[in-house]
């Protein structure tokens, strides 16, 4: 793909808040370009939470493929990172779109043959109310530091009765809000932003509170997943409700 075409498909984004700036900063972008870490989230208490860059940049593994096998209709991968899931779906001829606030992540997804937009999940998005499945993996349940707000937003993005597959922290007792910074442990950490870490029980509790129904829970290769089924009726207002037909995958990543 030519550089011009790739740039066109990356698209643009509004001015980013602290979290979006942090995920677009050098340590994360450099790690994605190299395909390896070390990369961490540094908590305010000094603890380092390792980020699995090598797995994100590799091909979809057995746990990922099990998730993808459960997907229905057109798939929206929220926080797609370097695009292994979107690329795997595209290789099977399935419609999928990744969104990520990192330009490097979107560029890598596009380079692997996937479709991606540089957007926050809270930005205007194509296909609102028509996605068959939304994915929230690799710690992305912590986006924005408010799982309830995030799960409510996803309830508006999927079609009535649509599917959300979310990954929880593999420690059932975890339910915390944290202030973190992206760092490679070699350079000063970036801007602080709020995140969340939730285990399976907390994830299920928050999901039910905003209308999701638990369809399945499973663990594989040390990872914990929850499949959630959306409301049968749209959660958007009548004036903004969209038809139930699956959204087209955009040809370019223009906003």
């Amino acid at each position: 793909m030519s550089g011009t075409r790739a740039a066109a498909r990356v698209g643009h984004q509004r001015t980013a808040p602290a979290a979006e700036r942090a995920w677009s900063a050098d340590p994360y972008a450099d790690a994605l370009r190299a395909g390896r870490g070390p990369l961490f989230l540094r908590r305010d208490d000094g603890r380092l939470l390792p980020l699995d860059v090598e797995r994100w940049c590799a091909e979809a593994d057995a746990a990922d493929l099990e998730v993808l096998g459960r997907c229905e209709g057109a798939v929206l991968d929220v926080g797609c990172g370097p695009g292994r899931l979107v690329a795997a779906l595209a290789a099977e001829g399935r419609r999928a779109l990744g969104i990520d606030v990192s330009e490097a992540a979107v560029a890598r997804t596009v380079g692997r043959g996937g479709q991606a937009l540089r957007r926050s999940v809270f930005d205007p998005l194509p296909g609102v109310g028509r996605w068959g499945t939304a994915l929230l993996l690799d710690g992305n349940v912590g986006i924005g530091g408010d799982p309830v707000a995030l799960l409510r937003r996803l309830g508006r993005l999927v079609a009535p009765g649509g599917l959300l597959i979310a990954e929880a922290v593999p420690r059932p007792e975890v339910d915390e809000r944290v202030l973190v910074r992206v760092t490679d442990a070699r350079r000063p950490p970036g801007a602080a932003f709020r995140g969340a870490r939730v285990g399976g029980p907390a994830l299920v509790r928050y999901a039910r509170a905003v209308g999701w129904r638990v369809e399945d829970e499973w663990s594989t290769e040390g990872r914990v997943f929850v499949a959630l089924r959306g409301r049968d009726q749209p959660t958007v207002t009548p004036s903004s409700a969209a038809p139930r037909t699956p959204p087209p995958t955009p040809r370019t990543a223009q906003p």
Side-chain angles (χ1 to χ4, degrees), residues 21-33 39 104 182 184 187 190:
R21 290 196 302 270
W23 289 113
S24 298
D26 288 344
Y28 182 63
D30 290 349
L32 291 194
R33 293 186 187 106
L39 195 69
V182 179
D184 59 8
R187 291 171 284 190

Side-chain angles (χ1 to χ4, degrees), residues 97-167:
L97 175 68
I99 58 169
D100 203 288
V101 298
S102 164
E103 183 174 0
V106 171
R108 182 146 183 160
T109 301
V110 169
R112 297 171 86 162
Q115 298 280 347
L117 289 169
R118 190 182 178 198
R119 301 279 177 88
S120 162
V121 65
F122 297 105
D123 283 340
L125 294 171
V128 171
R130 290 178 286 160
W131 294 99
T133 304
L135 298 177
L136 198 62
L137 308 186
D138 301 332
N140 287 323
V141 72
I143 289 172
D146 186 345
V148 172
L150 179 59
L151 291 164
R152 183 179 290 115
R153 168 62 170 163
L154 289 167
R156 296 187 174 102
L157 292 177
V158 300
L163 184 67
L164 168 63
I165 302 179
E167 183 173 356

